[in-house]
């Protein structure tokens, strides 16, 4: 007799830079969520689909939760909380080095009101002394009842298997919601734009990344099996456009080349990627732009 199948959602929730995207990619064994050393890189919910034994774990990576200022920020925070509310299990990811910051305190307060199943995951434990972990765990669990506590390093992978095994056995019984060989529900068009945005993060100075967004304008299948993709990068200021294009167009070519290689690897087919940079001040307050990057409208 076949094993009973299990399927459910686990949401990764935490403050910016807690390591949620790194953990999602480590658990899924593939690059699903963009990762950069800068906080607030993830702007919408990304779903990683993971088979573990007879269980299908649906991992939801949410944007880091912080105090919103712009409409874009408000949409990101709303997406994070929606991701948590829809999940069977909420994984509260805390950077063990930063500890109980004000941002973590605010998340804990809100989670305590929801009465949902919460597991505490202390990340970056390879970077702190073991003696610091128990007091931190005690300080958090005093404020928030949690079912389990995991200590791991998303960067090295240490402790991640233990978390996955426990998730696999704790999800509700039920049929799979996605084909077993799917990795993510992220549409290819959105994936293309996200990989371009990641390269903007990796290759430009501090001031550009938060002032830029990327949108896939066209995604065309070609008869030879390859795909032609056009992505427009919107920037808030003329100075950002100049930085992105670079001297003689060198920077934008490099961004396109690296994003193209990653995309071809993930889609397992040749990709022809064309980038266009447009100045559009105030894009982060425009509803159409926010919807285009996968965020629902917020007031």
């Amino acid at each position: 007799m076949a094993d009973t199948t299990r399927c459910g959602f686990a949401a990764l929730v935490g403050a910016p830079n807690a390591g949620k995207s790194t953990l999602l990619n480590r658990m899924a064994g593939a690059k699903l969520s963009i990762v950069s050393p800068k906080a607030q890189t993830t702007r919408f919910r990304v779903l990683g689909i993971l088979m573990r034994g007879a269980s299908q774990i649906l991992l939801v990576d949410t944007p880091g939760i912080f105090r919103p200022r712009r409409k874009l920020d408000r949409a990101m925070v709303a997406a994070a909380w929606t991701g948590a509310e829809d999940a069977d299990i909420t994984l509260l990811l805390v950077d063990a080095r930063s500890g109980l910051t004000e941002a973590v305190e605010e998340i804990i307060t809100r989670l305590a009101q929801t009465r949902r199943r919460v597991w505490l995951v202390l990340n970056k434990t390879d970077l702190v002394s073991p003696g610091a972990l128990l007091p931190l765990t005690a300080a958090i669990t005093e404020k928030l009842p949690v079912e389990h506590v995991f200590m791991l390093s998303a960067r090295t992978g240490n402790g991640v298997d233990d978390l996955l095994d426990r998730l696999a056995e704790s999800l509700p019984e039920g049929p799979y919601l996605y084909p077993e060989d799917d990795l993510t529900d992220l549409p290819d068009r959105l994936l293309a734009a996200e990989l371009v945005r990641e390269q903007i993060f990796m290759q430009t100075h501090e001031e550009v990344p938060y002032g830029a967004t990327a949108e896939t304008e066209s995604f065309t299948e070609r008869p030879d099996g390859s795909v032609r993709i056009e992505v427009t990068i919107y920037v808030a200021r003329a100075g950002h456009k100049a930085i992105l294009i670079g001297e003689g167009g060198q920077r934008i070519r490099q961004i396109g080349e690296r994003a193209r290689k990653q995309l071809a690897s993930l889609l397992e087919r040749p990709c022809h990627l064309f980038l266009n940079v447009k100045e559009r001040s105030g894009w982060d307050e425009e509803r159409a732009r926010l919807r285009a990057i996968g965020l629902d409208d917020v007031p």
Side-chain angles (χ1 to χ4, degrees):
M1 186 176 149
D3 285 340
T4 305
T5 60
R6 293 178 179 272
C7 181
F9 291 87
L12 289 163
V13 170
N17 249 359
K20 294 181 299 299
S21 298
T22 305
L23 182 58
L24 172 73
N25 292 339
R26 168 71 67 178
M27 290 163 92
K31 183 161 192 169
L32 301 180
S33 198
I34 77 169
V35 179
S36 89
K38 300 179 174 75
Q40 298 167 32
T41 314
T42 306
R43 286 185 176 163
F44 51 83
R45 284 171 288 156
V46 173
L47 181 64
I49 301 160
L50 182 64
M51 298 306 300
R52 190 88 172 171
S55 297
Q56 187 174 69
I57 305 170
L58 306 174
L59 295 164
V60 185
D61 177 27
T62 60
I65 296 171
F66 55 97
R67 285 213 174 115
R69 289 190 304 276
R70 305 168 295 174
K71 181 173 279 226
L72 168 66
D73 299 338
R74 293 195 294 279
M76 285 163 66
V77 171
W81 283 116
T82 305
E85 284 156 13
D86 292 346
D88 296 290
I89 295 169
T90 299
L91 304 174
L92 171 60
L93 197 64
V94 175
D95 179 338
R97 277 186 314 178
S98 309
L100 199 51
T101 60
E102 193 181 335
V104 175
E105 294 254 18
E106 287 182 19
I107 295 166
I108 286 171
T109 301
R110 177 141 174 188
L111 282 176
Q113 293 162 359
T114 64
R115 300 178 182 272
R116 296 195 162 270
R117 295 177 70 186
V118 178
W119 294 5
L120 173 61
V121 180
L122 295 182
N123 187 26
K124 308 185 188 179
T125 54
D126 54 323
L127 303 176
V128 296
S129 69
L133 296 172
L134 284 178
L136 176 58
T137 304
I140 293 170
T141 53
E142 199 178 296
K143 300 169 186 290
L144 178 71
V146 302
E147 278 187 23
H148 299 292
V149 179
F150 296 87
M151 299 182 185
L152 54 78
S153 166
R155 189 177 58 85
T156 66
N158 192 27
V160 173
D161 278 340
D162 185 29
L163 172 60
L164 285 172
D165 289 341
R166 186 60 68 91
L167 269 176
E169 66 192 32
S170 304
L171 291 172
E173 288 184 12
Y176 300 149
L177 294 178
Y178 291 89
E180 290 180 52
D181 55 356
D182 276 10
L183 268 179
T184 180
D185 70 338
L186 198 59
D188 292 347
R189 293 173 67 97
L190 216 44
L191 187 64
E194 277 295 277
L195 289 173
V196 168
R197 201 165 66 82
E198 177 176 49
Q199 286 306 319
I200 295 169
F201 266 90
M202 303 306 256
Q203 296 189 47
T204 60
H205 306 297
E206 284 299 311
E207 69 272 20
V208 176
Y210 300 115
T213 189
E215 277 178 41
T216 301
E217 305 284 354
S218 72
F219 194 100
T220 316
E221 310 270 347
R222 291 169 45 142
D224 62 1
S226 68
V227 62
R228 185 184 196 281
I229 307 157
E230 289 181 32
V231 173
T232 296
I233 300 166
Y234 290 100
V235 292
R237 295 205 282 283
H240 291 174
K241 183 174 180 178
I243 292 169
L244 268 181
I245 291 171
E247 200 170 328
Q250 196 176 353
R251 169 70 51 67
I252 196 72
R253 275 199 301 276
Q254 205 170 25
I255 288 170
E257 183 56 23
R258 290 191 188 167
R260 184 193 64 73
K261 281 182 179 163
Q262 291 199 329
L263 198 56
S265 163
L266 280 170
L267 299 181
E268 297 179 330
R269 60 202 297 192
C271 295
H272 309 277
L273 179 63
F274 300 88
L275 302 183
N276 184 13
V277 185
K278 288 185 182 174
E279 184 192 341
R280 194 191 201 97
S281 62
W283 69 262
D284 51 3
E285 293 286 345
E286 287 180 36
R287 294 188 163 202
R289 297 277 79 72
L290 299 183
R291 277 200 300 272
I293 61 170
L295 288 167
D296 297 326
D297 253 348
V298 291

